[in-house]
Structures are given as structure tokens and as C-alpha cells.
Amino acid sequence: MGAPTPWHSAGGPLTVSEGRSRHPLVDSYVTAAQEAGYLYTSDFNGPEQDGVGYHHLTQRNGLGCSTADAYLRQALPRPNLEVLTGVLCTRVLLDGDCATCVEVERDGELLHLRAEREVVLSAGAYNSPQLLMLSGIGPGSELASYGITPRVDLPVGENLQDHPYVGLCCLTETESLFTAETPENVRLLETEGRGPHLELSARPADFTAPVRDWTLPTSRCTPPG
């Protein structure tokens, strides 16, 4: 993304970049939106989110750069790290008010992984509160109604903000991603990090608010490539 700005740093392991491949309809959408009166913004995570523009992508050399690619893989050789796959975390076990163990299910068997120092729960906006409540941490009356013994009465899970999405399909005479699954396009993706398979991630978007005086946009339109 270039030099650091007040909104973006530079040089970290999680790579953010411009999309490498754009479908012709992507540019047409951005142009049409500006002709309709929408302002252009070069960075939805910058000083102004309201407007139309192109998404920045967590990609490296054209391919997706996940948090596992950026942070976990380079840490795998560490002697104090063990990564378990194919396991489902079911709850955190407490000793009094201290988390001491994580219960997981693997191949139909429940295993208890005891913590020597601390338990860090990082399972996302949905699964983190779910695991807390399964562990007895949450609204006491609600947990009891599901047969879960309350351990700590807290308003876990409240004020969850949903992200509703409406999909619209349009017919076009321009070739789309429906015909992109060819051996040549797969080769371009795997060997050069480019081609039509990257066009879906290089979609445009516009963020709008029904009242211009509102501080933040309340809706987003993201047409597919």
C-alpha cells in the first residue's frame, strides 16, 4: 500500500494491497456511480468512508494473505507452539473464577487441555460469546434455562450487530466469473497470482447514508465482478 499514513501502517506481516485483476464491469460501476453523484473515495478505511471506490485486499503476490499466512506459519517452528487441527472447542473450564482448562472434542473424544499460565479466547464475534456462555459465563437466567450452570453472571452476547445481505443477479453480455473455471485461468492464479479468479475479490463498493448529516454510512452496495 506504499508509505505509512495516519490510517495505515506499512511493513507488517499482514499484507494489504490493490487488486491485481479487475473485471471491466467493475470500472464501469465506479464510473456510473460517480456520474450519479456519488463521491469517489480511494480508501474505505481512510478519512472518508462515504462514497464509491475499490476495496483494498489482504493479498500477497496476488493470493489471499490470511492471518494464518501472516502470523501463524512463521511461528510454527517455535518449540512452545503446538497447533491442533480437526478439533472443536466445547467450553472453558474454571477453577473458581479462574480459567484453567479448555475442553475440546477430537474424533468423538473429549480432551482437557490444561493451561499453565492463561487461556486466551479468540473465536470471533459469534463463537467467542458462544463459548463463554457454554462455559457458564453469561446471563445467568438464560444459561440456567438451557441446563448450563451459571459461573459468572455477565451480559455476554448482548448487542450483537447483524450484517444482513441481499444478493441481486443481473444479466450481462460481458463475460463473467461463471466461465472463469478453466485450466489456463487456474494456472494464472497458482503460478502468477493474477487472472479472472482474482476479479471477485477486486470488487467495487459504495457506502451511503440516507441522511447526509449522519456521521457514518448505514448501507453498502458491493456488486460482484
Side-chain angles (χ1 to χ4, degrees), residues 45-120:
N45 297 302
E48 178 61 56
Q49 188 180 46
D50 198 8
V52 63
Y54 301 95
H55 281 297
H56 292 146
L57 311 171
T58 49
Q59 286 186 350
R60 181 183 297 163
N61 298 323
L63 300 179
C65 181
S66 67
T67 51
D69 292 323
Y71 298 99
L72 181 59
R73 298 191 193 284
Q74 61 181 335
L76 287 176
R78 294 183 180 180
N80 62 342
L81 172 65
E82 180 181 359
V83 178
L84 302 180
T85 60
V87 301
L88 174 67
C89 184
T90 56
R91 58 177 176 159
V92 177
L93 301 179
L94 305 179
D95 182 4
D97 60 356
C98 180
T100 58
C101 187
V102 175
E103 182 182 83
V104 300
E105 180 182 352
R106 189 177 197 180
D107 297 329
E109 180 184 3
L110 288 178
L111 305 175
H112 288 174
L113 308 178
R114 182 160 297 277
E116 294 184 357
R117 294 186 180 179
E118 62 182 350
V119 173
V120 177

Side-chain angles (χ1 to χ4, degrees), residues 136-147:
I137 303 172
S141 58
E142 293 185 25
L143 297 180
S145 68
Y146 286 96

Side-chain angles (χ1 to χ4, degrees), residues 1-9 16-18 22 30 39-57 205-207 217:
M1 290 296 298
T5 71
W7 300 275
H8 295 281
S9 184
V16 180
S17 61
E18 304 278 358
R22 285 182 185 164
V30 173
L39 298 177
Y40 178 79
T41 178
S42 61
D43 187 354
F44 288 120
N45 297 302
E48 178 61 56
Q49 188 180 46
D50 198 8
V52 63
Y54 301 95
H55 281 297
H56 292 146
L57 311 171
D206 68 70
F207 290 80

Side-chain angles (χ1 to χ4, degrees), residues 193-218:
R194 63 184 182 90
H197 281 284
L198 294 176
E199 291 171 0
L200 183 61
S201 59
R203 295 176 293 177
D206 68 70
F207 290 80
T208 58
V211 179
R212 293 298 303 173
D213 291 339
W214 286 15
T215 304
L216 295 174
T218 58

